[in-house]
Amino acid sequence: MSVVQIDFGKRKRARVVGIDLGTTNSLVAYMETPPPKVIPTPEEGKLVPSIVSYTREGKIVVGEEARRRLITEPERTVYSVKRLMGRGIADVQDELKLFPFQIAEGSESVIRLKLGERTFTPPEISAFILRQLKQNAEAHLGEPVEQAVITVPAYFNDAQRQATKDAGRIAGLDVLRLVNEPTAAALAYGLDKRHDGVVAVYDLGGGTFDISILRLHEGIFEVMATNGDTHLGGDDIDNLLLRIALEDIESEWGRDLSGDNSAVQQLRRAVVKAKEELSYALKTVIDFEYEGRRYQRELTRELFEKLITPFVDRTLGPCRDCLADAGVRPEEIDEVVLVGGSTRIPLVRQAVENLFRTRPHTELNPEEVVALGAAVQAAILAGSVEDKLLLDVTPLSLGIETMGGVVSKLIPRNSTIPASATEHFTTAVDGQTNVLIHVVQGERELAKDCRSLARFELKGIEPMPAGMPRIEVRFLIDANGILNVTAKDLRTGKEQQVEVKPSYGLTDDQVEKMIEESIEMAEEDFRQRQVREARVEADTILHAVEKAKQDEAYEALSEEEKQRIEEAINQLVVAYHGDDHVLIRTKIEELNNVTMKLAEAMMNAAVSKALKGTKL
Amino acid sequence: MQDTFKHAEACWQCGTPAEQDLFCRYCNSLQPPDLDYFRFFGLEPRLKLDPEDLQQRYYKLSRLLHPDRYTRKTSREREYSLEATAILNDAYRTLRDPIARAEYVLKREGFENVEPRSKNVDLELLEEVFELNMALEELRAGDESARPQLEVARDKFLAMRSEIDRDLQDLFEEYDATRSREILEKIRRLLDRRRYVQNLVAEVDRELSN
Ligand SMILES: [Zn+2]
């Protein structure tokens, strides 16, 4: 595998971009000076649909192009993969009923999706989206982009966060920070606001719902509490409408289309279009044509609102819990910020306004605000914004399983992160050398009702009578909301090795392997681009040398020098027709070197010619 | 008490003898954090604290220590920043809550098993608890008439908790003035009872909301 050397010596301050890796769409933004800006896609759009397709030629396509393939190649195309990030097969049974995910065999510990003849894990799919955003940013900024802040739903658990970080690594990004989406939105809004107060951020995206309550105080954005549902988003509305339309069609046409992926995708586009129109119009038509037949159904806003009321109501419970956890009454909320495409729905806006008794802010585009906030956080980490600081919290309590399967809470939910807890462990049996620890996340009393995070073993304990060893284990949730565990034998003072096996996630080795594979797949593209660029440079120099050969300075060169130039030209031309860009560049360099004297002579001639015309 | 990180004798960077400061007074590099919650905040170990003052100190320390400020520093300073901010947040979470603060002071003064996980019955509450359990059973068995009785019980326990809190406030002041271990002993007993009452309230709430 070839390694591309890029000279970063001249780089002043590493560029850090902010990425919103969404369920439906993804965006990348950056901030040089306020305000932050969304980086356009090559098609001059801003949103990259979070859709990935694997072509029959073994190429990966992302975004709009992949969206088109959703209809032509549904078996090779995947969307809404964020719903599967960091989750086990048992968690996603509901998802599998509603989304055309094709699960490959051997998905017990890590889900694998089948796209054509290959399988990919959700972090790999997300990595393709991230890589696309990275490329868009590089093309726009004209410099390499290797560091990023990536946003995640505030209610994402440890495994989902880890999976997102893994996706970043696989895409060749150094993920400096995972930031919670509602917090990022608050940062985007709070940028030019001088006054302090209590802000609620209501974030209803494609697949997830978050509510966060923050206190703004002299540039500090302190999250007081957060709540949410990682199973609730605009996708659910789409699925509801889709189901109704499918039933309609079945009774009208006498044909069940639900097994026909391509038809379902086209119908999905039709219902999404209708849904979006109802944010502005009072009625619309779901319009769908398939194999010469046409289905049309009028949908009024009134009926639409009746259909989605249960769905909107489901967001209100987490809002009330969040208020209670923050210790804030609704009337104490100074401002409400809306985030996510689904907050364009008038009924959602009304519900939020009723609950918080405040008219929500909508100045910033709800689909862009998270990426913009991520760009602000990126600027904070790069050191170019110094007066702002985010203090975020962990959404779920962290605990360990104790006797009888009961959870002992170590770090309560809504604790500001980084946060830590220290526990002491000992042995139960004489001579025991291992202690098994089960870490869980969640609010329930029994470990089996919580989310299993990891199991790890304290190994190599000196054999002693039961209860004698004293092992101190420190659980630390870092600023990304990810758990780190260290252990120490208090008798020997020796650091203990801790091997944390994630319950639902990739091991380090698996991630390493995926990084390699991803580079291999992406390399085709990248290498082709490099070859193209090298050839352009070769063209330039070959053209210049051919021209110089007409110059009198060339005639003045020795035969040996002329020979060397000819030789170098030949070698470059041979390399030019190969596909090794490193070789092309080496040959360009060599031709440059042997023509150095010629170039100097021509330069001097030109200078003296110019001087001749000048009066001294 | 935890001792994963001992406060260093001298600056890890330049060797200047350390004082109890966050940063080396000579080279300004971040030092390993102090693990004592009160010292971390530069406070005397007192049971009564001014919440406003504590919050101001917390914000100020967060600005100095948060990992967001250290992404471009050495890996060692990044690690200290993470450790220090974790302890800062743990300390703030503990000290801003009067009950958690009192439990912390008890632990700091060598009291063991400050947060027992057993549910030993408080003998003085025996009668009330007995009645309560009867009502809970009835409600669980589907007898809705037990509901008002439970609500009365809930109010009673809440009143009890308020009374305990008032008594605690007095004892906190007394301890700050005298530093007497006897007072700590009283505080400890009162905290046990409070926890017990608190559990009862939670249990009733759970049943009532079902
Ligand atoms: Zn120093």
Side-chain angles (χ1 to χ4, degrees):
Chain A
M1 193 190 319
S2 69
V3 177
V4 183
Q5 295 278 341
I6 301 169
D7 179 17
F8 297 122
K10 286 162 267 170
R11 193 161 55 156
K12 24 183 189 4
R13 185 175 260 161
R15 169 79 66 185
V16 191
V17 295
I19 292 177
D20 172 4
L21 181 61
T23 308
T24 320
N25 293 300
S26 298
L27 298 86
V28 55
Y30 76 107
M31 185 166 91
E32 204 106 277
T33 51
K37 292 174 195 70
V38 175
I39 292 173
T41 64
E43 298 92 32
E44 295 303 313
K46 283 183 173 177
L47 308 177
V48 173
S50 302
I51 306 173
V52 172
S53 189
Y54 180 62
T55 69
R56 288 173 196 275
E57 295 75 43
K59 241 183 82 194
I60 289 289
V61 293
V62 175
E64 285 301 341
E65 205 188 328
R67 190 214 289 277
R68 287 189 284 274
R69 296 173 54 86
L70 212 46
I71 289 163
T72 57
E73 298 266 18
E75 296 81 23
R76 311 184 74 97
T77 310
V78 60
Y79 66 98
S80 286
V81 77
K82 189 173 177 179
R83 287 181 171 254
L84 304 182
M85 291 286 275
R87 313 187 67 191
I89 193 79
D91 307 324
V92 296
Q93 289 309 313
D94 287 347
E95 254 79 9
L96 296 184
K97 278 179 219 140
L98 295 165
F99 293 85
F101 294 125
Q102 298 164 71
I103 304 293
E105 277 173 40
S107 291
E108 291 75 29
S109 61
V110 179
I111 293 176
R112 287 179 188 280
L113 294 168
K114 207 163 136 49
L115 296 187
E117 50 289 331
R118 277 202 61 153
T119 67
F120 300 91
T121 61
E124 285 175 290
I125 301 284
S126 296
F128 291 126
I129 300 167
L130 290 172
R131 198 179 276 280
Q132 180 67 51
L133 296 171
K134 178 179 187 278
Q135 279 174 9
N136 291 354
E138 286 172 341
H140 182 78
L141 299 168
E143 62 184 35
V145 170
E146 290 174 324
Q147 297 185 315
V149 166
I150 302 179
T151 60
V152 290
Y155 219 55
F156 252 19
N157 65 30
D158 186 276
Q160 292 168 305
R161 286 166 194 269
Q162 192 62 59
T164 307
K165 232 184 149 194
D166 289 344
R169 268 176 72 197
I170 296 168
L173 285 167
D174 178 10
V175 182
L176 293 189
R177 178 78 78 248
L178 297 177
V179 180
N180 293 331
E181 286 157 9
T183 321
L187 203 50
Y189 264 102
L191 202 61
D192 50 356
K193 296 251 165 65
R194 287 284 150 260
H195 53 274
D196 296 345
V198 180
V199 178
V201 183
Y202 179 100
D203 180 355
L204 188 57
T208 57
F209 170 65
D210 280 332
I211 173 78
S212 288
I213 296 173
L214 295 92
R215 185 192 289 119
L216 271 57
H217 179 85
E218 291 170 3
I220 288 192
F221 291 66
E222 184 186 13
V223 180
M224 301 165 81
T226 192
N227 211 304
D229 187 336
T230 53
H231 267 84
L232 183 60
D235 277 355
D236 296 300
I237 297 180
D238 302 348
N239 285 331
L240 178 72
L241 296 178
L242 186 63
R243 214 178 57 224
I244 292 170
L246 280 169
E247 280 168 14
D248 260 12
I249 290 171
E250 194 176 353
S251 65
E252 259 180 48
W253 299 3
R255 186 174 163 196
D256 177 16
L257 288 179
S258 59
D260 181 340
N261 265 335
S262 176
V264 169
Q265 288 313 321
Q266 286 180 62
L267 185 58
R268 175 180 291 274
R269 285 183 87 160
V271 301
V272 168
K273 190 162 161 275
K275 174 187 81 170
E276 287 170 1
E277 277 164 4
L278 285 178
S279 291
Y280 308 96
L282 289 174
K283 66 177 183 193
T284 186
V285 175
I286 299 174
D287 194 350
F288 170 70
E289 247 186 276
Y290 191 68
E291 291 178 350
R293 297 193 73 166
R294 192 158 184 194
Y295 162 77
Q296 281 183 309
R297 182 202 163 114
E298 191 185 86
L299 186 61
T300 62
R301 186 186 283 176
E302 200 189 340
L303 176 63
F304 176 68
E305 292 189 341
K306 218 164 119 193
L307 288 171
I308 66 166
T309 296
F311 162 85
V312 176
D313 285 349
R314 267 175 68 196
T315 68
L316 300 180
C319 289
R320 291 193 194 96
D321 290 346
C322 190
L323 282 165
D325 279 352
V328 171
R329 290 188 307 276
E331 53 273 23
E332 287 173 287
I333 301 284
D334 298 304
E335 295 181 65
V336 178
V337 168
L338 292 183
V339 185
S342 305
T343 61
R344 290 186 197 276
I345 298 171
L347 184 71
V348 172
R349 293 199 173 180
Q350 196 54 53
V352 173
E353 200 173 325
N354 290 347
L355 179 65
F356 294 108
R357 294 161 216 182
T358 312
R359 171 143 268 182
H361 275 282
T362 51
E363 297 93 66
L364 295 176
N365 182 335
E367 275 152 331
E368 292 176 13
V369 62
V370 169
L372 295 173
V376 177
Q377 177 66 7
I380 292 173
L381 296 180
S384 47
V385 170
E386 287 184 333
D387 58 338
K388 302 276 186 291
L389 181 64
L390 271 191
L391 301 177
D392 220 319
V393 300
T394 179
L396 301 159
S397 299
L398 183 89
I400 47 172
E401 183 174 347
T402 59
M403 273 204 286
V406 177
V407 176
S408 164
K409 254 182 213 175
L410 299 178
I411 300 175
R413 71 167 183 274
N414 292 321
S415 293
T416 307
I417 50 173
S420 69
T422 307
E423 265 305 285
H424 290 135
F425 294 89
T426 188
T427 51
V429 182
D430 288 350
Q432 185 180 342
T433 55
N434 288 16
V435 173
L436 192 70
I437 297 170
H438 183 202
V439 191
V440 298
Q441 213 170 17
E443 311 310 319
R444 306 283 294 275
E445 262 174 63
L446 294 178
K448 68 174 175 60
D449 299 325
C450 288
R451 171 82 190 176
S452 173
L453 260 194
R455 289 168 203 274
F456 64 87
E457 241 180 327
L458 299 172
K459 286 182 188 165
I461 301 168
E462 262 180 69
M464 266 182 266
M468 289 294 280
R470 272 167 58 78
I471 315 290
E472 183 184 84
V473 180
R474 191 158 140 84
F475 300 85
L476 188 146
I477 300 178
D478 68 15
N480 301 313
I482 291 177
L483 176 67
N484 301 263
V485 182
T486 49
K488 196 166 123 179
D489 189 328
L490 288 184
R491 293 182 174 273
T492 60
K494 247 183 18 202
E495 288 282 328
Q496 285 269 321
Q497 69 183 97
V498 181
E499 275 173 47
V500 179
K501 240 205 263 145
S503 303
Y504 302 92
L506 303 169
T507 62
D508 253 4
D509 288 346
Q510 284 174 313
V511 173
E512 286 301 329
K513 198 161 156 265
M514 286 171 187
I515 293 173
E516 275 175 33
E517 283 174 2
S518 144
I519 290 170
E520 272 165 31
M521 292 194 66
E523 203 169 28
E524 281 311 311
D525 262 1
F526 187 64
R527 199 196 275 152
Q528 276 165 13
R529 203 173 70 206
Q530 295 279 316
V531 171
R532 207 169 48 239
E533 282 170 13
R535 282 183 186 154
V536 170
E537 259 179 66
D539 277 335
T540 311
I541 188 170
L542 285 170
H543 186 71
V545 173
E546 279 312 315
K547 231 176 116 187
K549 277 161 79 175
Q550 316 300 319
D551 199 284
E552 46 196 42
Y554 179 76
E555 288 309 313
L557 294 178
S558 70
E559 277 311 306
E560 203 196 324
E561 281 166 330
K562 285 183 188 168
Q563 188 119 36
R564 279 222 299 270
I565 291 174
E566 281 309 313
E567 178 72 8
I569 290 174
N570 282 336
Q571 285 190 13
L572 176 55
V573 171
V574 171
Y576 186 99
H577 294 289
D579 61 355
D580 182 349
H581 69 274
V582 179
L583 186 67
I584 299 174
R585 289 192 192 275
T586 312
K587 296 301 164 194
I588 290 173
E589 196 67 29
E590 278 172 25
L591 180 58
N592 248 327
N593 287 338
V594 296
T595 54
M596 192 96 78
K597 201 174 150 198
L598 172 63
E600 261 169 43
M602 286 169 67
M603 181 81 82
N604 287 339
V607 169
S608 52
K609 209 190 257 171
L611 285 179
K612 263 182 211 157
T614 321
K615 281 180 199 142
L616 292 174
Chain B
M1 193 110 294
Q2 49 180 222
D3 55 358
T4 310
F5 281 80
K6 282 248 160 51
H7 208 70
E9 305 293 313
C11 169
W12 60 271
Q13 178 80 286
C14 72
T16 301
E19 313 215 329
Q20 294 293 316
D21 291 332
L22 295 168
F23 299 93
C24 170
R25 66 196 142 94
Y26 184 72
C27 74
N28 206 35
S29 50
L30 182 60
Q31 302 298 307
D34 194 325
L35 297 174
D36 184 86
Y37 290 173
F38 287 101
R39 278 205 304 272
F40 201 108
F41 272 91
L43 291 167
E44 289 289 309
R46 297 173 74 87
L47 285 173
K48 290 207 113 178
L49 287 180
D50 173 7
E52 286 279 310
D53 172 63
L54 189 70
Q55 190 184 52
Q56 288 311 313
R57 285 169 193 262
Y58 172 67
Y59 285 154
K60 199 177 150 207
L61 286 166
S62 291
R63 281 185 207 275
L64 289 172
L65 297 172
H66 198 277
D68 284 4
R69 298 269 184 261
Y70 289 81
T71 43
R72 289 166 307 139
K73 296 281 173 64
T74 61
S75 68
R76 189 145 177 180
E77 277 185 285
R78 286 209 304 271
E79 190 194 326
Y80 289 157
S81 147
L82 175 60
E83 288 294 342
T85 310
I87 292 162
L88 170 67
N89 288 331
D90 299 343
Y92 185 51
R93 196 166 65 241
T94 304
L95 296 188
R96 72 176 165 183
D97 171 29
I99 303 299
R101 189 197 309 148
E103 285 170 349
Y104 180 72
V105 168
L106 285 172
K107 264 194 230 170
R108 200 174 175 273
E109 295 303 319
F111 284 76
E112 284 189 7
N113 293 326
V114 174
E115 302 153 83
R117 287 182 179 124
S118 68
K119 291 182 179 176
N120 292 333
V121 177
D122 189 324
L123 291 177
E124 288 172 51
L125 298 175
L126 204 54
E127 201 177 319
E128 278 97 340
V129 172
F130 185 70
E131 276 174 30
L132 179 75
N133 281 336
M134 295 273 286
L136 282 173
E137 300 263 304
E138 283 164 25
L139 188 68
R140 279 185 199 124
D143 182 359
E144 281 296 316
S145 69
R147 200 171 274 275
Q149 201 188 334
L150 279 179
E151 271 156 14
V152 171
R154 183 180 182 277
D155 290 345
K156 195 151 112 198
F157 288 125
L158 281 179
M160 222 177 263
R161 194 180 69 187
S162 307
E163 199 191 315
I164 293 171
D165 286 346
R166 274 195 302 278
D167 292 347
L168 277 173
Q169 285 303 317
D170 294 343
L171 287 171
F172 287 174
E173 256 170 61
E174 221 178 317
Y175 174 74
D176 286 345
T178 61
R179 302 267 149 186
S180 142
R181 218 178 152 77
E182 262 168 62
I183 307 279
L184 283 185
E185 197 57 66
K186 280 189 193 167
I187 290 174
R188 187 230 174 105
R189 279 198 299 274
L190 219 43
L191 286 177
D192 283 348
R193 162 170 274 202
R194 188 184 191 283
R195 203 173 299 114
Y196 186 73
V197 171
Q198 182 65 39
N199 284 339
L200 291 175
V201 172
E203 205 177 333
V204 175
D205 278 347
R206 215 171 19 243
E207 285 305 323
L208 284 176
S209 67
N210 273 350

